[in-house]
């Protein structure tokens, strides 16, 4: 999407952080951002800020975890303009503590926001984006923890793994369309995710060691990369049609070590007489021409 002028961009988590800064960077390129956020007043205030900077922007309230809420947001967005850029970015932390102690309500909520919402977003906009007959772009926010999982929240890590899987599967599915796709995998970013998670999470607040972990993470993230820098990088990726969007190169050695361990684990076949999987047949059986990976280019 080299020319973003007058293209309507729907951005979730748009009232602050990476969402707002990506919307701002898209607006600088001529796009018309719709800032969707669970805090509707903050979304409208952010949109007013962008309008003061010369952008044509709209703010609206949206709980990305509630599919029914998407119908209303989709109708409002369509009245503003045909969405050709969809940035499914909203996310929350998943709580702390040992896996076996997780509150199942919090677990389901983390997945609803961090993973299920991408389905709701695409059910709302992707069909029309495909049918538009012109270049469009879908972007989702995963995390470096989907590549290199640190010893933090299992709910957060696994839901971000799910997001990466969604993006990789959609990359194949969209290969023969005019809809590009990007997956953002940032490292530590100076956003309000810890405070937002504490405010919105269902059930009781975290206590004891879990509460201390949340406080510690808030301090760590405060010194993270500026969302403005990440937003600008994301806008460039959308414009250039990049798939993987990495913003924190200091994670690369850990990613290399992790993939080296994985590749080293490939050995002899469990059945030496087996002819091997028919990868081409697998692709063809699903109505595709190829798998969108470097080995097939």
């Amino acid at each position: 999407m080299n020319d973003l002028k007058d293209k309507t961009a729907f951005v979730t988590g748009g009232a602050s952080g990476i969402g707002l800064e990506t919307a701002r960077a898209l607006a600088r390129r001529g796009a018309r951002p719709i800032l969707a956020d669970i805090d509707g007043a903050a979304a409208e205030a952010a949109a007013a800020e962008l309008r003061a900077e010369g952008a044509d922007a709209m703010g609206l309230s949206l709980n990305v975890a509630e599919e029914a809420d998407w119908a209303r947001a989709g109708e409002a967005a369509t009245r503003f303009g045909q969405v050709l850029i969809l940035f499914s970015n909203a996310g929350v932390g998943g709580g702390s503590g040992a896996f076996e102690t997780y509150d199942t309500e919090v677990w389901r909520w983390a997945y609803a926001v961090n993973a299920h919402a991408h389905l709701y977003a695409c059910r709302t906009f992707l069909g029309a984006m495909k049918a538009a007959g012109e270049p469009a772009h879908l972007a989702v926010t995963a995390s470096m923890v989907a590549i290199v999982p640190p010893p933090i929240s299992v709910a957060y890590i696994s839901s971000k793994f799910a997001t990466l899987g969604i993006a990789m599967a959609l990359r194949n599915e969209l290969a023969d369309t005019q809809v590009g796709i990007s997956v953002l995998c940032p490292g530590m970013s100076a956003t309000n995710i810890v405070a937002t998670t504490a405010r919105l999470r269902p059930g009781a607040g975290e206590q004891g060691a879990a509460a201390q972990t949340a406080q510690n993470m808030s301090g760590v993230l405060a010194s993270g990369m500026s969302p403005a820098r990440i937003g600008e990088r994301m806008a460039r990726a959308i414009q250039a049609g990049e798939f993987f969007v990495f913003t924190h190169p200091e994670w690369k050695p850990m990613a290399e070590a992790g993939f080296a361990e994985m590749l080293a684990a490939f050995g002899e076949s469990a059945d030496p007489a087996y002819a091997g999987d028919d990868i081409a047949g697998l692709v063809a059986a699903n109505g595709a021409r190829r798998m969108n990976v470097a080995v097939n280019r």
Side-chain angles (χ1 to χ4, degrees):
M1 295 190 71
N2 291 326
D3 183 8
L4 303 187
K5 184 173 175 55
D6 296 328
K7 300 296 191 295
T8 298
F10 191 96
V11 181
T12 67
S16 64
I18 293 172
L20 173 57
E21 295 302 337
T22 299
R24 177 175 278 117
L26 291 171
R28 286 197 295 267
R29 290 161 169 80
R32 304 171 66 243
I34 299 171
L35 308 181
D37 199 279
I38 194 168
D39 186 338
E44 179 48 43
E49 182 181 320
L50 294 190
R51 289 194 294 271
E53 296 171 5
D56 187 6
M58 180 178 81
L60 57 79
S61 172
L62 170 64
N63 182 349
V64 299
E66 297 293 338
E67 185 173 14
D69 218 19
W70 279 92
R72 176 192 54 77
E75 290 175 3
T78 300
R79 289 193 295 271
F80 185 74
Q82 182 179 18
V83 171
L84 290 175
I85 301 170
L86 173 58
F87 185 23
S88 189
N89 162 75
V92 293
S96 305
F99 183 49
E100 69 273 15
T101 68
Y102 261 83
D103 182 320
T104 54
E105 190 177 4
V106 174
W107 178 272
R108 293 190 187 99
W109 170 71
Y111 266 80
V113 176
N114 291 349
H116 302 167
H118 303 311
L119 172 61
Y120 306 152
C122 289
R123 283 175 61 85
T124 303
F125 295 114
L126 186 55
M129 290 166 66
K130 287 180 179 179
E134 59 181 302
H137 202 87
L138 166 66
V140 297
T141 298
S143 170
M144 275 308 309
V145 306
I147 308 291
V148 181
I152 61 172
S153 166
V154 177
Y156 185 73
I157 289 173
S158 58
S159 61
K160 291 300 184 176
F161 259 91
T163 294
L164 179 60
I166 289 167
M168 295 182 78
L170 280 173
R171 188 187 191 191
N172 290 327
E173 191 170 301
L174 296 173
D176 294 325
T177 75
Q178 292 195 70
V179 181
I181 182 168
S182 299
V183 57
L184 172 63
C185 297
M188 290 185 288
S189 312
T191 69
N192 297 322
I193 190 170
V194 175
T196 299
T197 300
R199 186 177 80 252
L200 299 177
R201 59 174 274 154
E206 293 181 302
Q207 302 295 324
Q212 184 61 54
T213 297
Q215 182 177 335
N216 295 344
M217 283 301 299
S218 185
V220 168
L221 293 179
S223 63
M225 187 179 290
S226 164
R229 295 288 189 176
I230 298 172
E232 172 61 26
R233 176 69 183 89
M234 189 68 233
R236 292 203 311 269
I238 290 171
Q239 197 164 23
E242 299 175 50
F243 179 63
F244 285 115
V245 186
F246 296 122
T247 55
H248 291 62
E250 59 272 22
W251 289 74
K252 184 178 179 180
M254 291 179 287
E256 289 175 331
F259 282 108
E261 179 186 20
M262 186 186 301
L263 293 172
F266 280 88
E268 295 181 356
S269 172
D271 180 1
Y274 181 56
D277 286 345
D278 180 6
I279 304 298
L282 170 68
V283 172
N286 284 276
R289 291 188 295 105
R290 59 189 171 89
M291 288 175 64
N292 205 344
V293 292
V295 71
N296 288 318
R297 290 179 179 169

